[in-house]
Amino acid sequence: MRYGLRYHGENLESIIDWARKAEDAGFDTLWSQELHTTPFVYPAAVAGSTSAIGLGSGVALAFVRSPMSLALTSLDLDRLTNGRFILGLGSGVQRLITGWHGAEYARPAPRLAECIRLVRQILQNAPAGRPIVFQGDYYNLNVTGFSVPHKPVRDRLPIYAGAVGPGMTRAAAQVADGLLGQIMPPLQWVKDVIVPNMRIGLARAGRRREEIDLSPAVVLAIGADVKQAKRDLAKTIAFYCTVATYHGLFARYGFGDEAAAVRDAFRRHGDHGPHCWDLVPDAMVDAFHVAGSPDDARRRVAQYEGIADSVILTPPSYFLTPEETAHYQHAILETFAR
């Protein structure tokens, strides 16, 4: 099973240093994020300072960019990284897409699948100077007389899709080269929801299991102070309790009431009142994330063996200082170095 890692660093020098350390430690991929940072700058920043590690966007918001922009950016990054870039795309949540970006959020699963199909067509046709003609439910392109002057580094640039629920998983499995898990769903959700719906999507498209890379995320707080680690993980859970997309996930595993209490506290007080993460019990933390020693972390991650092709190891970050997140990030690097 392969390991992925998130970027870390506050400036160019520290980001490059982190990427080199991840590569030297034997990690297979390094993933950027889109919320507090943009997804394409970091891969470009470390492209010339690394040589083997895969560099992915995990995930870039598909609906706030045009498919043409996504395709051309991906071709640029694949050239800069000498064939190591992975385009990770996701729908995001409605509040983020409409409220923050002013973009449209409609039927995200079929729209993301259509976006991936179109990006794939542009990646294949633009370098060869072939017309790009596409008429779909969400995108319509008619591009002739256009070609990319640079020869692609490889015949097929991988496109991964972020998926949490059944519908998105089925849609993504039909068109994507990989499935990226979000940081909240636990292993049991991967078994119960992701794997069976991925199989349905693959079957609909006539694809084999070997044609897709299943890459769930695992949030780890590794340290000697397990009590503090669980409280730090509780902050990440509390953040996602405020997002409507994950209400069903919490309820499925018996924590619907706790999630509602956190959500209500955050709506009343925000960051200025009592800490909403104090309402997250340790049992809820243990159900979704991993806190403990390096051996504890290795045992929990090993449970993904035979189910996932790779796992993206992620530290807690919400409501933590950069220094606190860095502590957990370095612990992951040291624990899972090969």
Side-chain angles (χ1 to χ4, degrees):
M1 188 168 61
R2 303 185 306 276
Y3 294 149
L5 199 63
R6 301 288 186 187
Y7 279 91
H8 167 68
E10 295 297 310
N11 53 48
L12 179 61
E13 290 76 14
S14 61
I15 291 167
I16 289 175
D17 180 63
W18 178 255
R20 288 171 173 164
K21 287 179 178 177
E23 184 169 84
D24 291 343
F27 282 83
D28 299 279
T29 50
L30 194 59
W31 295 90
S32 59
Q33 298 171 282
E34 180 156 34
L35 184 64
H36 305 105
T37 60
T38 57
F40 301 125
V41 173
Y42 282 21
V46 306
S49 303
T50 56
S51 60
I53 194 167
L55 304 174
S57 60
V59 297
L61 298 175
F63 305 156
V64 304
R65 300 174 175 88
S66 73
M68 180 66 79
S69 174
L70 290 168
L72 295 180
T73 299
S74 298
L75 287 170
D76 286 344
L77 285 170
D78 209 41
R79 193 166 64 256
L80 290 177
T81 61
N82 195 28
R84 291 182 289 130
F85 181 65
I86 303 168
L87 175 60
L89 293 176
S91 65
V93 298
Q94 184 168 3
R95 182 176 65 180
L96 181 63
I97 301 304
T98 61
W100 291 30
H101 291 275
E104 183 182 359
Y105 188 88
R107 301 188 68 207
R111 185 179 177 189
L112 182 63
E114 185 173 297
C115 178
I116 291 173
R117 290 190 183 98
L118 178 51
V119 170
R120 174 69 63 204
Q121 184 183 131
I122 298 170
L123 291 172
Q124 292 172 344
N125 288 12
R130 294 192 297 265
I132 303 165
V133 180
F134 189 96
Q135 290 187 337
D137 295 324
Y138 308 95
Y139 301 99
N140 292 285
L141 263 69
N142 189 347
V143 181
T144 58
F146 171 75
S147 64
V148 174
H150 311 288
K151 182 180 179 180
V153 178
R154 49 186 166 167
D155 293 335
R156 185 177 180 89
L157 189 156
I159 303 176
Y160 285 32
V164 176
M168 184 65 80
T169 300
R170 292 192 297 269
Q174 295 181 66
V175 297
D177 300 299
L179 284 180
L180 292 172
Q182 204 270 349
I183 67 173
M184 279 308 306
L187 175 60
Q188 197 59 45
W189 180 272
V190 176
K191 292 179 178 179
D192 294 345
V193 177
I194 299 297
V195 169
N197 283 284
M198 183 181 69
R199 288 172 178 161
I200 292 171
L202 290 171
R204 288 177 178 174
R207 305 177 70 198
R208 303 184 309 276
R209 171 63 179 86
E210 295 77 17
E211 295 181 65
I212 195 164
D213 178 39
L214 177 57
S215 300
V218 183
V219 182
L220 304 163
I222 302 171
D225 191 340
V226 177
K227 182 178 179 180
Q228 184 61 51
K230 289 187 178 183
R231 286 302 85 207
D232 289 339
L233 285 168
K235 296 175 182 180
T236 291
I237 293 175
F239 174 84
Y240 283 100
C241 285
T242 68
V243 182
T245 303
Y246 304 99
H247 296 178
L249 174 67
F250 292 121
R252 183 185 182 104
Y253 296 104
F255 296 102
D257 291 341
E258 290 83 351
V262 171
R263 186 165 61 252
D264 292 343
F266 186 80
R267 286 173 177 171
R268 288 196 306 270
H269 304 292
D271 293 333
H272 304 294
H275 293 151
C276 59
W277 51 82
D278 291 335
L279 300 174
V280 176
D282 283 353
M284 192 174 181
V285 172
D286 292 335
F288 291 93
H289 297 323
V290 182
S293 68
D295 286 341
D296 293 331
R298 293 188 195 99
R299 281 193 295 269
R300 287 288 294 274
V301 171
Q303 294 174 2
Y304 286 81
E305 194 80 49
I307 299 168
D309 301 294
S310 60
V311 290
I312 301 173
L313 306 176
T314 305
S317 59
Y318 294 102
F319 305 117
L320 296 181
T321 66
E323 293 75 20
E324 290 169 330
T325 298
H327 167 76
Y328 290 121
Q329 185 79 300
H330 283 282
I332 291 173
L333 181 77
E334 294 171 359
T335 300
F336 290 93
R338 303 207 190 249

